Protein backbone atom coordinates (compact mmCIF):
# COMPACT_ATOMS: atom_id res chain seq x y z
CA UNK A 1 0.00 0.00 0.00
CA UNK A 2 1.09 3.58 -0.41
CA UNK A 3 1.88 4.52 3.15
CA UNK A 4 3.63 7.69 2.07
CA UNK A 5 0.65 9.13 0.22
CA UNK A 6 -1.01 11.93 2.15
CA UNK A 7 -4.38 10.21 2.16
CA UNK A 8 -6.87 10.30 5.00
CA UNK A 9 -8.67 7.15 3.88
CA UNK A 10 -7.78 4.56 1.32
CA UNK A 11 -10.12 1.68 0.52
CA UNK A 12 -9.34 -1.31 -1.65
CA UNK A 13 -11.98 -3.77 -2.68
CA UNK A 14 -14.04 -3.37 0.47
CA UNK A 15 -16.96 -5.75 0.74
CA UNK A 16 -19.48 -6.26 3.49
CA UNK A 17 -21.91 -9.17 3.62
CA UNK A 18 -24.82 -9.54 5.98
CA UNK A 19 -25.64 -13.18 5.50
CA UNK A 20 -26.72 -13.44 1.87
CA UNK A 21 -26.94 -9.66 1.46
CA UNK A 22 -23.92 -7.99 -0.09
CA UNK A 23 -24.15 -4.46 1.33
CA UNK A 24 -20.78 -3.37 -0.08
CA UNK A 25 -19.44 -4.94 -3.23
CA UNK A 26 -15.84 -3.97 -3.90
CA UNK A 27 -15.42 -0.34 -2.89
CA UNK A 28 -12.22 1.39 -4.00
CA UNK A 29 -11.82 4.98 -2.97
CA UNK A 30 -9.47 7.52 -1.51
CA UNK A 31 -10.12 10.57 0.65
CA UNK A 32 -7.56 13.35 0.65
CA UNK A 33 -7.08 15.84 3.48
CA UNK A 34 -9.61 18.66 3.31
CA UNK A 35 -11.73 16.89 0.73
CA UNK A 36 -15.53 17.06 0.92
CA UNK A 37 -17.22 14.06 -0.57
CA UNK A 38 -20.98 13.64 -0.81
CA UNK A 39 -22.26 10.08 -1.01
CA UNK A 40 -25.51 9.83 -2.86
CA UNK A 41 -27.67 6.89 -3.79
CA UNK A 42 -30.93 5.08 -3.27
CA UNK A 43 -31.92 3.58 0.03
CA UNK A 44 -30.14 0.29 0.63
CA UNK A 45 -27.23 1.12 -1.67
CA UNK A 46 -24.69 0.75 1.14
CA UNK A 47 -23.98 4.36 2.10
CA UNK A 48 -24.42 3.89 5.84
CA UNK A 49 -22.54 0.61 5.78
CA UNK A 50 -19.63 2.34 4.08
CA UNK A 51 -19.47 5.07 6.74
CA UNK A 52 -19.80 2.48 9.50
CA UNK A 53 -16.87 0.52 8.07
CA UNK A 54 -14.74 3.67 7.97
CA UNK A 55 -15.41 4.20 11.65
CA UNK A 56 -14.99 0.48 12.42
CA UNK A 57 -18.53 0.24 13.74
CA UNK A 58 -18.66 -2.59 11.20
CA UNK A 59 -15.87 -4.90 10.16
CA UNK A 60 -15.72 -5.38 6.38
CA UNK A 61 -16.01 -8.94 5.13
CA UNK A 62 -13.26 -8.38 2.58
CA UNK A 63 -10.87 -5.77 1.28
CA UNK A 64 -8.75 -3.29 3.18
CA UNK A 65 -9.12 0.17 4.68
CA UNK A 66 -6.31 2.45 5.78
CA UNK A 67 -6.58 5.61 7.83
CA UNK A 68 -3.46 7.75 7.56
CA UNK A 69 -1.69 4.71 6.17
CA UNK A 70 -2.60 2.58 9.20
CA UNK A 71 -4.84 -0.43 8.65
CA UNK A 72 -8.33 -0.12 10.08
CA UNK A 73 -9.54 -3.26 11.80
CA UNK A 74 -7.84 -6.62 11.67
CA UNK A 75 -4.42 -7.16 10.19
CA UNK A 76 -2.76 -10.26 8.80
CA UNK A 77 0.46 -11.19 10.57
CA UNK A 78 3.63 -12.61 9.01
CA UNK A 79 2.31 -16.18 9.14
CA UNK A 80 -1.03 -15.26 7.65
CA UNK A 81 -3.11 -15.18 10.81
CA UNK A 82 -5.86 -12.62 11.28
CA UNK A 83 -5.07 -10.36 14.17
CA UNK A 84 -7.76 -8.33 15.85
CA UNK A 85 -6.99 -4.64 16.23
CA UNK A 86 -5.77 -3.49 19.61
CA UNK A 87 -8.10 -1.43 21.75
CA UNK A 88 -5.58 1.40 21.52
CA UNK A 89 -5.74 1.42 17.73
CA UNK A 90 -9.56 1.37 17.78
CA UNK A 91 -9.55 4.28 20.21
CA UNK A 92 -7.11 6.19 18.03
CA UNK A 93 -9.40 5.60 15.06
CA UNK A 94 -12.52 6.72 16.89
CA UNK A 95 -10.75 9.87 18.06
CA UNK A 96 -9.69 10.71 14.53
CA UNK A 97 -13.06 10.03 12.92
CA UNK A 98 -16.11 11.96 14.12
CA UNK A 99 -19.55 10.70 13.20
CA UNK A 100 -22.94 12.37 13.11
CA UNK A 101 -26.04 10.24 12.60
CA UNK A 102 -29.51 10.91 11.33
CA UNK A 103 -30.89 10.46 14.84
CA UNK A 104 -28.97 12.80 17.05
CA UNK A 105 -28.36 10.33 19.89
CA UNK A 106 -27.58 12.95 22.51
CA UNK A 107 -27.55 11.74 26.08
CA UNK A 108 -30.94 12.76 27.42
CA UNK A 109 -29.86 13.14 31.01
CA UNK A 110 -27.08 15.56 30.17
CA UNK A 111 -27.22 19.22 29.22
CA UNK A 112 -25.88 20.44 25.89
CA UNK A 113 -22.65 21.47 27.59
CA UNK A 114 -22.28 18.12 29.38
CA UNK A 115 -22.95 16.22 26.16
CA UNK A 116 -20.09 18.05 24.47
CA UNK A 117 -17.75 17.77 27.47
CA UNK A 118 -18.23 14.05 27.92
CA UNK A 119 -15.79 12.68 25.36
CA UNK A 120 -13.05 15.24 26.09
CA UNK A 121 -13.32 14.27 29.76
CA UNK A 122 -13.65 10.49 29.46
CA UNK A 123 -11.83 9.67 26.25
CA UNK A 124 -9.32 12.45 25.83
CA UNK A 125 -8.97 12.80 29.62
CA UNK A 126 -8.72 16.56 29.50
CA UNK A 127 -8.92 18.47 32.78
CA UNK A 128 -12.50 19.57 33.51
CA UNK A 129 -11.78 23.29 33.06
CA UNK A 130 -10.12 22.64 29.71
CA UNK A 131 -13.00 20.41 28.52
CA UNK A 132 -15.48 23.06 29.59
CA UNK A 133 -13.68 25.82 27.69
CA UNK A 134 -13.51 23.61 24.63
CA UNK A 135 -17.25 22.82 24.88
CA UNK A 136 -18.21 26.46 25.39
CA UNK A 137 -16.12 27.43 22.37
CA UNK A 138 -17.92 24.81 20.30
CA UNK A 139 -21.34 25.97 21.54
CA UNK A 140 -20.39 29.46 20.43
CA UNK A 141 -19.38 28.14 17.03
CA UNK A 142 -22.74 26.48 16.51
CA UNK A 143 -24.55 29.54 17.85
CA UNK A 144 -25.99 27.84 20.95
CA UNK A 145 -23.99 29.32 23.79
CA UNK A 146 -27.22 30.43 25.46
CA UNK A 147 -28.47 26.81 25.46
CA UNK A 148 -25.54 25.33 27.35
CA UNK A 149 -27.73 24.29 30.29
CA UNK A 150 -30.63 23.01 28.18
CA UNK A 151 -31.39 19.29 28.05
CA UNK A 152 -31.96 17.66 24.65
CA UNK A 153 -35.72 17.52 25.28
CA UNK A 154 -35.68 21.31 25.57
CA UNK A 155 -34.00 21.76 22.20
CA UNK A 156 -35.43 21.63 18.69
CA UNK A 157 -34.27 18.87 16.37
CA UNK A 158 -32.03 21.30 14.53
CA UNK A 159 -30.48 22.49 17.78
CA UNK A 160 -29.97 18.91 18.93
CA UNK A 161 -28.23 18.03 15.69
CA UNK A 162 -25.98 21.10 16.00
CA UNK A 163 -25.04 19.93 19.50
CA UNK A 164 -24.38 16.44 18.12
CA UNK A 165 -21.99 17.97 15.57
CA UNK A 166 -20.27 19.97 18.32
CA UNK A 167 -20.02 16.81 20.40
CA UNK A 168 -18.23 15.02 17.56
CA UNK A 169 -15.96 18.03 17.00
CA UNK A 170 -14.99 18.00 20.68
CA UNK A 171 -12.77 15.01 19.88
CA UNK A 172 -10.92 17.30 17.46
CA UNK A 173 -11.27 14.68 14.76
CA UNK A 174 -9.32 14.67 11.56
CA UNK A 175 -12.31 13.73 9.46
CA UNK A 176 -16.08 13.96 9.98
CA UNK A 177 -18.62 11.46 8.69
CA UNK A 178 -22.24 12.56 8.37
CA UNK A 179 -24.99 10.04 7.76
CA UNK A 180 -28.08 11.89 6.53
CA UNK A 181 -27.70 14.52 9.25
CA UNK A 182 -30.79 16.46 8.20
CA UNK A 183 -33.11 13.66 7.13
CA UNK A 184 -35.10 13.48 10.33
CA UNK A 185 -35.50 17.24 10.69
CA UNK A 186 -38.54 19.33 9.94
CA UNK A 187 -37.85 21.19 6.68
CA UNK A 188 -37.53 24.59 8.36
CA UNK A 189 -34.73 23.29 10.61
CA UNK A 190 -32.58 21.82 7.86
CA UNK A 191 -30.76 25.01 6.91
CA UNK A 192 -29.39 25.75 10.38
CA UNK A 193 -27.67 22.37 10.41
CA UNK A 194 -26.41 22.75 6.84
CA UNK A 195 -25.04 26.19 7.81
CA UNK A 196 -22.92 24.63 10.54
CA UNK A 197 -21.68 21.99 8.11
CA UNK A 198 -20.96 24.60 5.47
CA UNK A 199 -18.83 26.57 7.93
CA UNK A 200 -16.98 23.43 8.88
CA UNK A 201 -16.32 22.76 5.21
CA UNK A 202 -15.01 26.28 4.71
CA UNK A 203 -12.68 25.81 7.65
CA UNK A 204 -11.07 22.95 5.78
CA UNK A 205 -12.48 19.91 7.58
CA UNK A 206 -12.28 16.63 5.68
CA UNK A 207 -15.89 15.50 5.33
CA UNK A 208 -17.82 12.52 4.01
CA UNK A 209 -21.48 13.32 3.84
CA UNK A 210 -24.37 11.03 3.00
CA UNK A 211 -27.15 13.38 2.05
CA UNK A 212 -30.26 13.84 -0.02
CA UNK A 213 -29.78 17.61 0.04
CA UNK A 214 -28.74 17.93 -3.56
CA UNK A 215 -28.30 21.71 -3.53
CA UNK A 216 -26.00 21.46 -0.55
CA UNK A 217 -24.06 18.60 -2.12
CA UNK A 218 -23.53 20.55 -5.30
CA UNK A 219 -22.38 23.60 -3.38
CA UNK A 220 -20.05 21.96 -0.88
CA UNK A 221 -18.72 18.75 -2.43
CA UNK A 222 -15.42 18.47 -4.23
CA UNK A 223 -16.63 15.11 -5.48
CA UNK A 224 -19.91 13.30 -5.58
CA UNK A 225 -19.90 9.54 -5.28
CA UNK A 226 -23.04 7.83 -6.51
CA UNK A 227 -23.65 4.37 -5.09
CA UNK A 228 -26.08 1.68 -6.06
CA UNK A 229 -26.31 -1.93 -4.86
CA UNK A 230 -23.14 -1.73 -2.82
CA UNK A 231 -21.02 -0.35 -5.63
CA UNK A 232 -19.66 3.01 -6.65
CA UNK A 233 -21.41 3.58 -9.95
CA UNK A 234 -20.17 7.08 -10.67
CA UNK A 235 -17.67 9.53 -9.21
CA UNK A 236 -17.99 13.04 -10.50
CA UNK A 237 -17.42 16.71 -10.08
CA UNK A 238 -20.75 17.87 -8.58
CA UNK A 239 -21.83 20.47 -11.14
CA UNK A 240 -21.39 17.98 -13.93
CA UNK A 241 -23.01 15.19 -11.95
CA UNK A 242 -26.19 17.09 -11.18
CA UNK A 243 -26.55 18.37 -14.73
CA UNK A 244 -25.30 15.43 -16.73
CA UNK A 245 -25.05 12.21 -14.81
CA UNK A 246 -23.20 9.65 -16.88
CA UNK A 247 -24.75 6.44 -15.65
CA UNK A 248 -28.37 5.60 -16.37
CA UNK A 249 -28.88 4.65 -12.71
CA UNK A 250 -27.66 8.01 -11.44
CA UNK A 251 -29.82 9.80 -13.99
CA UNK A 252 -32.83 7.76 -12.93
CA UNK A 253 -32.16 8.38 -9.27
CA UNK A 254 -31.74 12.12 -9.73
CA UNK A 255 -34.86 12.37 -11.79
CA UNK A 256 -36.79 10.63 -9.05
CA UNK A 257 -35.26 12.59 -6.19
CA UNK A 258 -35.52 15.89 -7.92
CA UNK A 259 -39.06 14.85 -8.68
CA UNK A 260 -39.24 16.71 -11.91
CA UNK A 261 -37.35 16.71 -15.14
CA UNK A 262 -36.45 13.55 -16.91
CA UNK A 263 -32.74 13.09 -16.79
CA UNK A 264 -31.42 10.63 -19.28
CA UNK A 265 -28.03 9.17 -19.66
CA UNK A 266 -25.81 8.67 -22.66
CA UNK A 267 -26.67 10.51 -25.82
CA UNK A 268 -29.95 11.78 -24.47
CA UNK A 269 -28.38 13.56 -21.56
CA UNK A 270 -30.58 16.20 -20.22
CA UNK A 271 -29.73 19.19 -18.13
CA UNK A 272 -31.80 18.63 -15.02
CA UNK A 273 -31.79 22.33 -14.35
CA UNK A 274 -33.08 23.12 -17.78
CA UNK A 275 -36.20 21.13 -17.04
CA UNK A 276 -36.98 22.99 -13.85
CA UNK A 277 -37.72 26.34 -15.38
CA UNK A 278 -34.44 27.79 -14.22
CA UNK A 279 -35.11 27.43 -10.50
CA UNK A 280 -31.45 26.95 -9.84
CA UNK A 281 -31.66 27.53 -6.12
CA UNK A 282 -34.45 25.06 -5.62
CA UNK A 283 -32.48 21.90 -6.22
CA UNK A 284 -31.76 21.56 -2.52
CA UNK A 285 -34.48 20.79 -0.04
CA UNK A 286 -36.23 18.64 -2.54
CA UNK A 287 -36.16 15.45 -0.63
CA UNK A 288 -36.42 16.35 3.00
CA UNK A 289 -39.21 14.00 3.85
CA UNK A 290 -38.75 10.29 3.81
CA UNK A 291 -41.72 9.69 1.59
CA UNK A 292 -40.19 11.72 -1.20
CA UNK A 293 -37.12 9.57 -1.17
CA UNK A 294 -36.63 6.18 -2.59
CA UNK A 295 -37.38 3.46 -0.15
N1 LIG B 1 -27.11 -4.80 10.35
C1 LIG B 1 -27.57 -5.25 9.17
N2 LIG B 1 -28.02 -6.52 9.05
C2 LIG B 1 -28.48 -7.00 7.86
N3 LIG B 1 -28.54 -6.27 6.74
C3 LIG B 1 -28.12 -5.00 6.80
C4 LIG B 1 -27.62 -4.41 8.01
N4 LIG B 1 -27.27 -3.14 7.75
C5 LIG B 1 -27.54 -2.93 6.45
N5 LIG B 1 -28.05 -4.04 5.88
C6 LIG B 1 -28.42 -4.18 4.46
O1 LIG B 1 -27.33 -3.75 3.69
C7 LIG B 1 -27.77 -3.00 2.57
C8 LIG B 1 -27.18 -1.62 2.61
O2 LIG B 1 -27.74 -0.91 3.70
P1 LIG B 1 -27.31 0.56 4.11
O3 LIG B 1 -25.85 0.64 4.16
O4 LIG B 1 -28.07 0.91 5.33
O5 LIG B 1 -27.84 1.39 2.86
P2 LIG B 1 -28.14 2.96 2.74
O6 LIG B 1 -27.51 3.65 3.89
O7 LIG B 1 -27.57 3.34 1.42
O8 LIG B 1 -29.63 3.09 2.75
C9 LIG B 1 -29.29 -3.04 2.61
O9 LIG B 1 -29.72 -4.12 1.84
C10 LIG B 1 -29.57 -3.28 4.07
O10 LIG B 1 -30.81 -3.91 4.24
MG1 LIG C 1 -28.35 4.86 5.34
Amino acid sequence: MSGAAPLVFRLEGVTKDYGPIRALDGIDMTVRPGEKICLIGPSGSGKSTLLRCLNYLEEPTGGRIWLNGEPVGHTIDSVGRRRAPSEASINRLRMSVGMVFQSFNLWGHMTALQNIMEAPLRVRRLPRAHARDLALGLLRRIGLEDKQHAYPSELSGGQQQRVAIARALAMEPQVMLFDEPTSSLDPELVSEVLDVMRTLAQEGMTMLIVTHEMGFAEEVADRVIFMDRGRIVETAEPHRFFRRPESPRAAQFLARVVGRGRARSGSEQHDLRATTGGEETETGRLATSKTERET
Side-chain angles (χ1 to χ4, degrees):
M1 63 147 287
S2 50
L7 294 173
V8 178
F9 278 115
R10 174 183 176 83
L11 287 78
E12 270 180 21
V14 172
T15 59
K16 175 68 185 176
D17 295 326
Y18 294 106
I21 296 167
R22 175 144 288 194
L24 294 178
D25 190 11
I27 301 290
D28 297 315
M29 71 186 270
T30 56
V31 181
R32 289 184 290 273
E35 225 182 348
K36 290 93 184 93
I37 297 176
C38 284
L39 293 166
I40 289 175
S43 180
S45 56
K47 307 178 299 292
S48 296
T49 303
L50 178 57
L51 292 193
R52 288 203 303 268
C53 285
L54 294 178
N55 202 15
Y56 200 57
L57 292 172
E58 295 284 1
E59 169 114 47
T61 311
R64 311 287 307 270
I65 300 176
W66 292 270
L67 171 64
N68 300 319
E70 253 197 80
V72 171
H74 79 270
T75 47
I76 307 289
D77 71 12
S78 52
V79 290
R81 277 181 312 217
R82 257 172 89 94
R83 288 177 45 148
S86 68
E87 202 155 306
S89 82
I90 295 174
N91 281 343
R92 215 162 37 240
L93 167 76
R94 299 266 163 81
M95 283 206 254
S96 305
V97 183
M99 180 127 177
V100 175
F101 301 88
Q102 180 175 337
S103 52
F104 333 119
N105 300 327
L106 294 176
W107 292 295
H109 64 290
M110 291 184 188
T111 64
L113 185 70
Q114 288 166 341
N115 262 283
I116 302 171
M117 283 176 66
E118 189 64 10
L121 282 176
R122 309 263 170 252
V123 185
R124 295 178 66 200
R125 298 182 189 282
L126 298 184
R128 181 163 285 274
H130 186 160
R132 192 187 163 79
D133 286 347
L134 175 72
L136 283 172
L138 285 165
L139 279 167
R140 212 172 298 128
R141 260 169 83 184
I142 59 166
L144 287 177
E145 210 181 2
D146 57 327
K147 297 287 186 190
Q148 57 176 292
H149 300 305
Y151 287 89
S153 61
E154 299 166 323
L155 298 172
S156 73
Q159 290 170 337
Q160 289 182 59
Q161 192 60 304
R162 283 147 71 193
V163 172
I165 294 171
R167 184 178 59 172
L169 290 174
M171 294 299 286
E172 301 190 334
Q174 184 190 358
V175 48
M176 287 280 286
L177 313 178
F178 294 87
D179 194 354
E180 299 196 39
T182 60
S183 290
S184 61
L185 296 176
D186 290 333
E188 73 270 24
L189 302 178
V190 167
S191 63
E192 66 188 63
V193 172
L194 295 183
D195 284 345
V196 168
M197 293 170 62
R198 193 177 282 116
T199 304
L200 203 54
Q202 284 160 359
E203 289 168 357
M205 178 61 80
T206 307
M207 298 163 81
L208 267 94
I209 306 164
V210 174
T211 186
H212 293 275
E213 296 290 336
M214 301 303 169
F216 177 79
E218 177 164 5
E219 177 198 335
V220 166
D222 299 307
R223 265 195 293 156
V224 167
I225 291 180
F226 176 75
M227 290 181 65
D228 193 24
R229 296 175 215 175
R231 295 186 181 183
I232 294 177
V233 173
E234 184 166 346
T235 300
E237 187 280 323
H239 301 293
R240 210 273 290 139
F241 178 79
F242 288 111
R243 284 174 180 75
R244 290 184 168 75
E246 258 164 19
S247 61
R249 278 188 267 172
Q252 236 170 39
F253 172 77
L254 284 175
R256 237 177 295 168
V257 171
V258 172
R260 45 186 161 167
R262 287 186 196 83
R264 295 192 187 90
S265 64
S267 57
E268 293 192 329
Q269 277 174 353
H270 222 82
D271 187 333
L272 285 171
R273 298 307 179 65
T275 65
T276 64
E279 294 169 74
E280 290 258 341
T281 57
E282 283 299 302
T283 46
R285 314 297 303 282
L286 290 169
T288 49
S289 80
K290 270 186 141 20
T291 48
E292 285 176 271
R293 284 193 268 123
E294 302 212 335
T295 48

